[in-house]
Structures are given as structure tokens and as C-alpha cells.
Amino acid sequence: MGESKFKLWFWQRKVRSVLRHATAARKTSGLSDAYRIGIYHAFRNAQEMESLLGFAARLTQAGKRVKVLTYVPAKTMPRPEAQEGFVSFFCKRDVDWRFFPRREINPGLEDFLTGDYDLLLDFSAEFHYTDVAVMAMCDACMKVGKFTPWNLKVNDLCLAPEAGENHVEGFIKALETYMPLFDGAQNQKK
């Protein structure tokens, strides 16, 4: 990404500021302990989106409240085909010059960013400045995402799933491997 040092400096300042003013009480919780789950995803292909929606549907069937936010890294969004009601989309035109989403433009985006989550998951495969911004802006008890230097500052747990064609499937596999370690963590402390 050929971004100017000036823009990156402002982006870093904004991320640090947002993190400093975070209001959610942080606590460790596993996938089975979480009731309100937010899933963020940067769209790459339809196969990954299908895997993501399947995972979200499984969580919903297990009694979880799930919201999905998908970033389409293009200036216009493709028409989403018959998506579930819990999925919102935004694109580059909904992002300001510092790579932060502009809440007031998109009601689905505003709803996702103001949600209060027990668990917030970042399924994005590639690093986008917007991914870190979204994760920093959301209130969640526990945040899980990919392993990058900036995500170490934002997330409570960073995973590095096996590389493959379908990053979402790899991330789900990593979640199902490591998240059970945190199940019942609140009960164990008492």
C-alpha cells in the first residue's frame, strides 16, 4: 500500500486515541460463553463469504445473537444476493481519509459499531488499515483477529490460521481449536 507517511501518522494517532477511550470492560470469554458476537470481514471472494455466513448461521442456531459487518475494498458495492438480515456492508466511499469508517453514512455500519459484544471476531485475511480501525472502534469484552503488529495492540487474541485458498475456513478451524481453552474462564476465576 503506497500510503503517505502523513496519512499513516494520523491513522496511528486515531487508533491510539480510540483505544484509550474504550469503555468496554475486558474479560476472557470463549465461544460457548459469548452470547453477543460481532463478526467483521473484508470481502475477497464469494467462497469465503459463504463460509462466513455458514459459520454465523451455526452460531445463530446455537442461540447466539450475531451481527456481521463486511467491508468491500472497492469504491462501489456489488449487489448482495439475498443475504441474511444480520449482515451489513460498507465500502471505500464509507471510509474517511484516515481509513476510519464514517458512521453517519451507513445505518448498518453505525449499528455494528455501536453494538456491545461479548466476542468480536475479525475474519479478514489481508491487512487493511480499515480492519484495525473497525476493531478499535467496537466495544467488546474480547477481541480476536489475525496476527499483525497493529492487531496485537487492538485484539486480545491473535490467530495465524494456515494459509490456503479459503482464509475463513482456516480461521474457523483455528477458532474451534483455541477458543474452547477460554470456555468457562469466568466460572474458573470464582
Side-chain angles (χ1 to χ4, degrees), residues 64-80:
K64 314 287 185 192
R65 276 190 26 221
V66 179
K67 288 184 187 176
V68 177
L69 179 66
T70 300
Y71 173 60
V72 180
K75 289 196 178 194
T76 59
M77 284 189 291
R79 283 269 178 226

Side-chain angles (χ1 to χ4, degrees), residues 43-52 165-166 168-169:
F43 183 84
R44 287 193 325 166
N45 59 53
Q47 179 187 10
E48 286 186 350
M49 190 68 189
E50 188 175 310
S51 298
L52 179 89
E165 285 184 29
N166 190 335
V168 170
E169 283 294 327

Side-chain angles (χ1 to χ4, degrees), residues 76-97:
T76 59
M77 284 189 291
R79 283 269 178 226
E81 301 170 12
Q83 296 295 347
E84 306 293 326
F86 54 82
V87 181
S88 299
F89 292 88
F90 74 109
C91 65
K92 275 188 177 181
R93 67 181 152 86
D94 299 325
V95 176
D96 70 13
W97 64 275

